[in-house]
Amino acid sequence: IVTTCLRSTVERAEGWPDNNCILLRYVFRAISAGKFEESYKVILPLLPTILNGLFRIFVATDNTNLRHVIIELCLTVPARLSSLLPHISLLLRMIIHALNSNTGDLVN
């Protein structure tokens, strides 16, 4: 599901956050809520692909709404902190954009 949604979003990076982004948001939230513990193991090998793909979409688009959704997805990827540490430089870039945004949801 994750790779298919990411691939479809990359192909349509110029548009409104589509159903693929919304589906990714729900999947990430469900996994992070602890409902699907085994899913952490499935996401772990995909982590570099997910983060780099989301960052490519972020850089490629000027759509503010899509950028906010991409920032949210990057910062809510369901992974343990130890798995995210190798990607801290990319995540810090997203955190800076989240803090600079006018949307209170990203900061909270």
Side-chain angles (χ1 to χ4, degrees), residues 21-73:
C21 290
I22 306 304
L23 180 59
L24 276 178
R25 181 188 289 166
Y26 287 129
V27 167
F28 286 2
R29 286 181 182 178
I31 294 170
S32 295
K35 295 178 184 174
F36 307 102
E37 187 66 30
E38 288 296 314
S39 298
Y40 278 109
K41 295 175 185 171
V42 175
I43 294 288
L44 185 60
L46 298 174
L47 193 58
T49 304
I50 294 169
L51 290 174
N52 289 324
L54 289 172
F55 188 71
R56 275 188 280 134
I57 296 168
F58 181 81
V59 171
T61 187
D62 292 328
N63 183 324
T64 305
N65 294 318
L66 181 58
R67 289 179 78 125
H68 287 171
V69 171
I70 297 300
I71 290 170
E72 179 184 349
L73 289 172

Side-chain angles (χ1 to χ4, degrees), residues 25 29 64-65 67-69 71-73 75-76 94-95 97-108:
R25 181 188 289 166
R29 286 181 182 178
T64 305
N65 294 318
R67 289 179 78 125
H68 287 171
V69 171
I71 290 170
E72 179 184 349
L73 289 172
L75 298 179
T76 59
M94 291 304 196
I95 290 170
H97 285 288
L99 291 172
N100 288 332
S101 75
N102 296 332
T103 305
D105 293 344
L106 291 177
V107 176
N108 295 330

